[in-house]
Amino acid sequence: MSDTGIHSDEIHQIGGETIANPRLAEAYRSSTIRLYTHRLNSVSGFAGFERLREAGREAKRQVIENLDYYLGQFADNVERNGGKVHWADTAEEVCRIVVDIVRRATAKEVVKAKTMVAEEVELNRALEGAGIRPVETDLGEFIIQLAGERPAHIVGPAIHKTRDDVSDLFVKHINAERTNVPEELTAIARRALREMFQKAGVGLSGANFAVAETGTVVTVENEGNIRMCTTIPRVHIALVGIEKLIPRLADLGVFIRLLGRSGTGQKLTTYTSLLTGPRRPGEDGPEEMHVVMVDNGRIKSLADPKMREMLYCIRCGACLNACPVYRKIGGHAYGWVYSGPIGALVTPEFVGIGQARELPFASSLCGACREVCPVKINIPDMLLHLRSEAQQHAPKPTEALLPERPAFRLWAWVMRHPALYRLGAKFARWGQFPLARKGWIRKIPTYPVSNWTKERDFPALAPESFRERWKKL
Ligand code: SF4
């Protein structure tokens, strides 16, 4: 695996900077809570949602357990429809295949729809290196391309930008008039992008789903730009992670409803496109359709029964919005393209635990991610598995564990001696007296517990323990 430049230990520094920046902290807080609430409202009034989740999970289980069969079926059907299938094991292979197709099409520009796989393989860098201009056409991706950043969220790449930030970027990079009215900002982006759709020889998209039964690439969106990228240019390239397959067209109804409600709280997203081969006589659409099937670490997860379930993910982003850690530290702290609870699984799996050893620890294990996941992925269990992998294969330096090890040993010993535990709790209650105010401790001076109160308050011990109350009752 190539060095991706990920340094997951920066999660502490970048996360701390986000928390300390009131504008950024508020942008993450308000955006995630808005999406979380939309999802909640959308699923709470929908009686069949649990059944839908079970059906989605079962369809994904079926595909992932029989991936070789469904990959073969999908590829045969794409070719039967007139498309061309390419297989890429690594990020470098994906980039090489795409650059070759673009060169053969003699195109100088590529219009891109939002695709996390393209971010994952750093396709823009490869295209630019080959003298080809990639143009992001999703509004959020367009904004972060101008800012030179990575996506901050799977569904909303520019979730961390305010309208003033966007206005600054448009003034600086595309000579736009200053405005912070959302409709006017959108119109500016539309004008800048419209001519690119006509000019570009190649359009590139990802795939939300790939239907094995029919060889269909399915994309969902709200802006209409994916439909333009995949139909106006002469050549269409779709990057498809091998886990994106679903067995039958009939399953699509399940996933479309799960994705919209879980991601943004919509019953359905505005546009759903089913792309089955290039254009036929009398039709609109591209003359050539290329489907690049991407492994880049996925087969390794498939081979590990403890991590396989990670491949059920439909990238809805719900676990990010629900995660108390993501809400605070934001997407960039995770150091790569995937963030939040699913990023804490995907990144170590794809780039190796050595480069991402801190990520599985960036979780309170509260289970909120599993609760909202439309396909019920057991994220907390897999995080625990990765924590133990991290300790085996990329152990922390002994000096970093020095304060933790004796503290946890002492804690375990006390927990095994109830009388001692009760006595300890009594002392702790007296000891906290000078520090506790209205049920909270603002600052604990003793290391390593002092780390906790650097960024947040610590709940004070209750004046009466449960056992004491129980006795009285
Ligand atoms: S893990 Fe589940 S909730 Fe998170 S992005 Fe994937 S499908 Fe959505």
Side-chain angles (χ1 to χ4, degrees):
M1 190 70 62
S2 62
D3 185 354
T4 51
I6 298 166
H7 299 287
S8 71
D9 46 346
E10 287 177 3
I11 192 168
H12 301 288
Q13 186 211 324
I14 300 175
E17 285 166 11
T18 305
I19 292 166
N21 179 334
R23 187 202 57 75
L24 209 48
E26 175 53 21
Y28 276 115
R29 192 198 67 79
S30 56
S31 309
T32 49
I33 290 190
R34 191 180 60 246
L35 288 168
Y36 180 78
T37 313
H38 286 171
R39 175 200 168 273
L40 202 61
N41 293 340
S42 162
V43 305
S44 59
F46 182 23
F49 195 66
E50 272 313 298
R51 277 204 306 279
L52 218 52
R53 287 177 83 195
E54 288 298 341
R57 182 176 170 82
E58 177 49 29
K60 273 292 177 186
R61 192 199 61 75
Q62 196 182 339
V63 160
I64 299 301
E65 293 298 323
N66 304 285
L67 196 57
D68 52 346
Y69 169 76
Y70 286 109
L71 281 172
Q73 190 188 20
F74 176 72
D76 287 349
N77 284 327
V78 170
E79 302 254 343
R80 200 167 294 134
N81 298 330
K84 170 102 183 82
V85 177
H86 309 257
W87 300 93
D89 291 342
T90 62
E92 292 75 21
E93 274 182 42
V94 177
C95 294
R96 189 174 40 73
I97 291 167
V98 173
V99 167
D100 282 354
I101 298 170
V102 178
R103 280 195 176 137
R104 272 203 306 276
T106 61
K108 289 271 168 277
E109 285 98 8
V110 173
V111 276
K112 286 180 68 210
K114 182 173 169 301
T115 139
M116 292 304 286
V117 177
E119 295 283 350
E120 180 188 315
V121 301
E122 303 210 24
L123 183 63
N124 282 4
R125 201 159 65 170
L127 288 170
E128 282 161 358
I132 299 158
R133 183 180 165 209
V135 182
E136 298 291 350
T137 64
D138 171 87
L139 182 57
E141 288 281 344
F142 180 62
I143 291 165
I144 61 161
Q145 187 181 30
L146 294 181
E149 293 177 11
R150 280 180 172 152
H153 189 281
I154 295 176
V155 173
I159 198 171
H160 59 306
K161 296 280 182 213
T162 63
R163 338 162 173 187
D164 289 322
D165 295 335
V166 176
S167 182
D168 288 346
L169 285 167
F170 284 3
V171 170
K172 183 170 167 201
H173 294 283
I174 53 175
N175 265 335
E177 297 265 313
R178 184 168 294 282
T179 172
N180 64 4
V181 179
E183 290 76 11
E184 290 176 13
L185 288 168
T186 313
I188 291 169
R190 185 184 293 134
R191 274 197 300 278
L193 290 171
R194 195 46 69 114
E195 81 176 280
M196 290 310 301
F197 288 116
Q198 303 290 348
K199 209 166 136 191
V202 174
L204 187 127
S205 74
N208 291 97
F209 305 103
V211 185
E213 181 188 46
T214 56
T216 303
V217 170
V218 182
T219 63
V220 301
E221 55 166 332
N222 283 316
E223 296 174 18
N225 66 304
I226 303 186
R227 194 165 279 181
M228 308 244 277
C229 282
T230 55
T231 52
I232 298 178
R234 199 181 64 75
V235 176
H236 169 215
I237 305 171
L239 301 187
V240 184
I242 53 172
E243 82 286 13
K244 287 296 174 85
L245 292 180
I246 59 172
R248 297 157 295 265
L249 201 56
D251 298 313
L252 190 58
V254 172
F255 286 104
I256 295 284
R257 284 179 289 169
L258 283 176
L259 184 58
R261 287 180 193 266
S262 304
T264 53
Q266 291 169 281
K267 283 184 186 161
L268 285 177
T269 40
T270 314
Y271 300 92
T272 301
S273 303
L274 280 73
L275 308 160
T276 309
R279 77 168 176 226
R280 296 172 192 87
E283 287 180 353
D284 289 335
E287 287 169 27
E288 289 175 31
M289 180 176 178
H290 297 265
V291 180
V292 185
M293 302 301 296
V294 181
D295 169 7
N296 201 30
R298 288 156 173 84
I299 295 283
K300 180 181 148 275
S301 305
L302 182 72
D304 182 349
K306 293 227 164 76
M307 295 305 295
R308 192 175 293 161
E309 201 181 312
M310 182 192 91
L311 300 172
Y312 296 5
C313 177
I314 59 170
R315 306 278 190 263
C316 70
C319 57
L320 280 66
N321 306 327
C323 177
V325 177
Y326 175 89
R327 283 181 185 176
K328 288 282 176 200
I329 66 173
H332 290 151
Y334 291 79
W336 202 41
V337 293
Y338 298 104
S339 52
I342 188 64
L345 298 179
V346 168
T347 308
E349 279 294 286
F350 287 6
V351 307
I353 194 72
Q355 283 191 64
R357 67 122 27 236
E358 291 300 313
L359 298 188
F361 297 90
S363 168
S364 63
L365 300 179
C366 64
C369 47
R370 188 184 184 191
E371 225 165 82
V372 298
C373 178
V375 282
K376 300 190 172 185
I377 299 176
N378 194 342
I379 298 174
D381 254 28
M382 282 186 276
L383 287 172
L384 282 175
H385 174 65
L386 285 178
R387 284 182 187 188
S388 100
E389 291 250 297
Q391 217 31 50
Q392 277 173 38
H393 301 296
K396 266 192 169 181
T398 318
E399 53 289 7
L401 292 171
L402 271 182
E404 281 182 25
R405 276 207 178 131
F408 278 111
R409 276 197 190 127
L410 180 67
W411 175 252
W413 185 70
V414 172
M415 291 291 278
R416 285 197 301 269
H417 299 84
L420 211 61
Y421 176 83
R422 282 197 294 275
L423 193 69
K426 240 180 212 156
F427 275 122
R429 236 177 284 144
W430 290 331
Q432 73 175 1
F433 183 69
L435 305 171
R437 295 275 172 282
K438 295 183 181 164
W440 292 96
I441 299 175
R442 279 275 159 85
K443 214 169 184 54
I444 298 177
T446 339
Y447 181 79
V449 200
S450 54
N451 273 343
W452 178 280
T453 50
K454 260 192 208 163
E455 309 289 355
R456 52 218 182 292
D457 298 343
F458 191 83
L461 292 177
E464 216 176 20
S465 74
F466 172 75
R467 282 164 187 274
E468 288 160 351
R469 288 192 65 201
W470 186 252
K471 228 185 222 170
K472 276 193 210 162
L473 288 168

